Amino acid sequence: MKYLDEYRDESAVRAVLDEIHRVTTRPWVIMEVCGGQTHSIIRSGLDRLLPDAITLVHGPGCPVCVTPLELIDKAIAIAARPEVIFASYGDMLRVPGSGKDLFAVKSEGADVRVVYSPLDALTIARANPEKVVVFFGVGFETTAPANGMAVYQAHKQSIDNFAMLVSHVTVPPAMMAILSSPTNRVQGFLAAGHVNTVMGFAEYEPIAARFKVPIVVTGFEPLDIANGILMAVRQLEESRHEVENAYARSVRREGNAAAQAIIREVFEPCDRAWRGIGVIPMSGYRLREPYARYDAERRFAGVSAISAEESGVCISGLVLQGVKRPDECPAFGTLCTPQRPLGATMVSSEGACAAYYKYGRYMDDAGAPV
Amino acid sequence: MVKNVDNPLDFEGFTCPLPLRDYPQIVMGHGSGGRMSADLVRHLFVPLFDNAALNRLDDQAVLEMQLDGGRLAFTTDSFVVRPLFFPGGDIGKLAVHGTVNDLAVSGARPLYLSAGFILEEGLPMDDLCRVAASMAGAAHEAGVQIVTGDTKVVDRGHGDGVYINTSGVGVVPPGVDVAAQNARPGDVVIVSGTLGDHGVAVMSVREGLRFDAAVVSDTAPLHGLVAAMLAAGPDIHAMRDPTRGGLAASLNEIAAASGVGVLLDERAIPVRPPVRAACEMLGLDPLYVANEGKLVAFVPPGSADAVLDAMRAHPLGAEAAIIGQAVAAHPGIVAARTGIGGSRVVDMPLGVLLPRIC
């Protein structure tokens, strides 16, 4: 397939891997920020082809994983209301709240629907004027423009039976939180190419300078990721700390101006809790005042009182910060599996624990199944 | 398409017979067991499925069967699909092919099917006629008879138009022993063609997810292909038709039942470009997407070439490919060598396939 096969070509990837082996002289810890990258790495087995000196840690860039438990509980409470049609991206449905997940609420009679775009939720609202359609607005800067557009269109078309449960998060504050942590061991970043496609990468330059870490804007195919790692290792070996672009076929420094405009129009930055990590200042989006009537937490006032506590065993917070690997968790694969997840990193197919469970079990360090 | 010129019925051009035309839609009475139920059977199902055992309209079909030292194979499957009609097929075709194929992968020659219908009040009579005609065509093509059946009607809103259950019996010839627990280390793993076509074809027309993919369902009866394979290699160890759960589920089932490992070469697995593209777009893995006209076989190395040649000489196996082998290492685990030379585990799918957020 054009634009994909070239980036999955064994000899091309092998050539970059050879170069990584050649330039690496010391141990380095590099974090891939995005869950999509984690999946591609584990699915292709790329991590097992790197020099032993390179440690990849899996970042917090999985929207399903970082959505706080409390918000899942709010989603469940809203979805259970008889007047509500609850619309969501598919993989949010299996995320366990304190008691159950959205699939369970659906089986109890709630109208929960999988949509592929927030604009589909708007279409459902138009078709069901007697119901309130609530869309679960999760994601990073990648999904924010489309989610913002749905709210903007609802406003323009005066569709009043539409609301959004907003749990948007942004990447740069999370990177800074990780770098500021006393337990941090991340020395370089592969930034999430889809996020940079929207936002550009100018806002990463002060982070690279302040924390003296290389940041390489990286795509999602094995060759993209290998290239990103090579550029990060070269910087580390040469004591440079710049923002470089290894995903130029998609990302420009200034990003997508139209997408940024709709985000600015509809959303404003706010403090946001990350599942397993805690509250990171100014790390999320909420609806601006002119759009506040589409805020599901305001529309269903009772849900704002809901609060919840995480499992004590689960180390997903440490996994999301790159401090621990999924298989270092005592519950991994035993108490905690994709069927019965304790933490969100086991739930989403993009979560680091799920990726380890799905593709990495039974493999020895040489990459052979054991 | 019914190609047999001797066949007196034009299944595709079949129109609703009187007196059913008086009811443009299924009503509760069609499941009452009274005259309306009888009309549905006599005027719709009997003329289409037409065979001596069914036409007697007894409470059961009484069948003549010669086992000749062979063994009886018996299976059942229920069919729920939305939409009822999709590119390359419909629920009726699936209901015949699915049960025929479950029999076929044991090496059996399929003979007789039952058909149970759960109809939703309000189902257009024309849709039911199309589905039943499609079943009749598929059964005719597969050389099986639909000899007994049942119809129930549920209130509007309590079904997706029509659900179908088919059960089937067939005869496994003497000497043939194909079973999931028979795979052995060293066996060559062969698939009969491209993967994921059916699942992507259905998804491409599903409400809320229409996309323009030049993909049609691969639904097809596989017993002819299986017969050709067994003629070339009577010692085939195991076969499955990878429907729901895709190839990944079938391979995991065989690996677990036989206590062997499976090592795939990801690059050798045939997937059509539009199927790959659709899966990329939706964040799905073609190894987990449903098929309705494909099989995977574990063949002893000595027979593998002959079986592969026989498959490629059959229209339903033209794109057959060797995709890996059974190994003694990692019993019960399916692993794959990836496109870039890495390795990964191909796990049993968990639940429904969920497209990813981004």
Side-chain angles (χ1 to χ4, degrees), chain A residues 132 147 152 188 266:
Chain A
V132 181
N147 291 355
Y152 180 75
V266 175

Side-chain angles (χ1 to χ4, degrees), chain A residues 87-155:
Chain A
S88 171
Y89 296 121
D91 43 1
M92 291 305 293
L93 266 55
R94 204 152 53 205
V95 185
S98 303
K100 51 191 167 190
D101 60 20
L102 284 163
F103 269 128
V105 185
K106 181 172 188 279
S107 74
E108 289 163 11
D111 192 344
V112 178
R113 303 186 190 181
V114 173
V115 294
Y116 301 88
S117 153
L119 295 173
D120 292 345
L122 214 51
T123 306
I124 296 173
R126 256 187 246 108
N128 296 276
E130 76 291 354
K131 295 273 197 173
V132 181
V133 174
V134 180
F135 179 75
F136 204 170
V138 297
F140 284 85
E141 294 95 320
T142 340
T143 51
N147 291 355
M149 180 56 84
V151 173
Y152 180 75
Q153 289 294 340
H155 185 65

Side-chain angles (χ1 to χ4, degrees), chain A residues 64-86:
Chain A
V64 175
C65 304
V66 300
T67 300
L69 190 59
E70 157 174 318
L71 228 89
I72 309 286
D73 286 350
K74 287 178 183 177
I76 288 166
I78 291 170
R81 298 173 75 105
E83 76 275 27
V84 166
I85 297 174
F86 194 86

Side-chain angles (χ1 to χ4, degrees), chain B residues 94-305:
Chain B
L94 280 191
V96 171
H97 292 159
T99 292
V100 164
N101 291 345
D102 283 347
L103 293 170
V105 291
S106 72
R109 187 164 71 88
L111 294 172
Y112 303 109
L113 303 188
S114 69
F117 295 87
I118 301 200
L119 308 176
E120 183 186 1
E121 182 186 21
L123 173 73
M125 193 62 82
D126 280 343
D127 283 359
L128 180 60
C129 288
R130 280 172 70 195
V131 168
S134 176
M135 288 181 79
H140 183 77
E141 192 184 18
V144 296
Q145 295 183 348
I146 300 170
V147 291
T148 186
D150 178 56
T151 307
K152 296 283 188 301
V153 179
V154 294
D155 291 322
R156 194 180 183 106
H158 290 250
D160 286 321
V162 52
Y163 301 140
I164 304 174
N165 171 275
T166 53
S167 295
V169 293
V171 175
V172 183
V176 172
D177 182 18
V178 184
Q181 73 263 25
N182 288 357
R184 291 293 169 265
D187 281 356
V188 177
V189 181
I190 306 176
V191 285
S192 64
T194 56
L195 295 178
D197 299 67
H198 173 74
V200 165
V202 171
M203 272 184 260
S204 75
V205 290
R206 189 161 287 172
E207 200 178 345
L209 183 68
R210 295 207 166 87
F211 55 89
D212 193 17
V215 182
V216 297
S217 169
D218 58 353
T219 183
L222 292 169
H223 59 292
L225 175 65
V226 170
M229 291 167 68
L230 283 168
D235 55 349
I236 292 172
H237 282 159
M239 279 191 278
R240 275 280 156 99
D241 59 326
T243 53
R244 277 173 315 167
L247 182 71
S250 292
L251 291 176
N252 273 284
E253 286 160 7
I254 292 175
S258 299
V260 299
V262 176
L263 191 55
L264 299 176
D265 178 358
E266 211 168 54
R267 281 170 299 194
I269 298 171
V271 180
R272 267 183 233 292
V275 172
R276 276 186 64 192
C279 287
E280 287 295 336
M281 197 171 75
L282 295 170
L284 303 177
D285 184 338
L287 297 189
Y288 293 87
V289 179
N291 312 278
E292 291 290 346
K294 297 290 156 39
L295 60 80
V296 60
F298 284 62
V299 185
S303 301
D305 286 344

Side-chain angles (χ1 to χ4, degrees), chain B residues 2-150:
Chain B
V2 179
K3 296 195 178 69
N4 188 338
V5 289
D6 297 324
N7 174 34
L9 270 176
D10 172 10
F11 296 120
E12 304 222 335
F14 188 81
T15 52
C16 221
L18 286 167
L20 299 179
R21 266 190 222 150
D22 298 344
Y23 291 95
Q25 291 169 334
I26 289 293
V27 296
M28 294 307 289
H30 285 120
S32 65
R35 177 175 293 278
M36 292 178 73
S37 300
D39 280 349
L40 200 61
V41 172
R42 280 176 201 282
H43 295 286
L44 176 59
F45 294 125
V46 166
L48 279 169
F49 298 162
D50 186 38
N51 56 74
L54 176 70
N55 295 353
R56 276 200 299 270
L57 293 178
D58 274 325
D59 279 355
Q60 73 298 113
V62 178
L63 308 166
E64 305 284 344
M65 288 183 79
Q66 304 298 326
L67 290 178
D68 293 330
R71 293 173 299 151
L72 190 70
F74 178 35
T75 187
T76 188
D77 207 343
S78 298
F79 297 84
V80 296
V81 61
R82 233 179 9 193
L84 298 176
F85 305 92
F86 46 81
D90 56 75
I91 190 171
K93 249 190 196 179
L94 280 191
V96 171
H97 292 159
T99 292
V100 164
N101 291 345
D102 283 347
L103 293 170
V105 291
S106 72
R109 187 164 71 88
L111 294 172
Y112 303 109
L113 303 188
S114 69
F117 295 87
I118 301 200
L119 308 176
E120 183 186 1
E121 182 186 21
L123 173 73
M125 193 62 82
D126 280 343
D127 283 359
L128 180 60
C129 288
R130 280 172 70 195
V131 168
S134 176
M135 288 181 79
H140 183 77
E141 192 184 18
V144 296
Q145 295 183 348
I146 300 170
V147 291
T148 186
D150 178 56

Side-chain angles (χ1 to χ4, degrees), chain A residues 217-234:
Chain A
V217 175
T218 303
F220 298 84
E221 297 306 321
L223 182 59
D224 290 318
I225 295 169
N227 266 323
I229 294 169
L230 175 60
M231 288 166 79
V233 172
R234 276 200 183 124

Side-chain angles (χ1 to χ4, degrees), chain A residues 50 62 116 138 173 187 244 286 290 294 321:
Chain A
L50 291 170
C62 162
Y116 301 88
V138 297
Q187 295 166 294
E244 292 180 312
R286 67 176 171 221
Y294 296 100
Q321 296 172 72

Side-chain angles (χ1 to χ4, degrees), chain A residues 5 8 10 44 359 361 367, chain B residues 267 276 280 338 343 345 347:
Chain A
D5 290 339
R8 294 176 184 177
E10 180 171 11
S44 65
Y359 300 125
R361 277 181 311 151
Chain B
R267 281 170 299 194
R276 276 186 64 192
E280 287 295 336
T338 68
S343 59
V345 169
D347 203 5

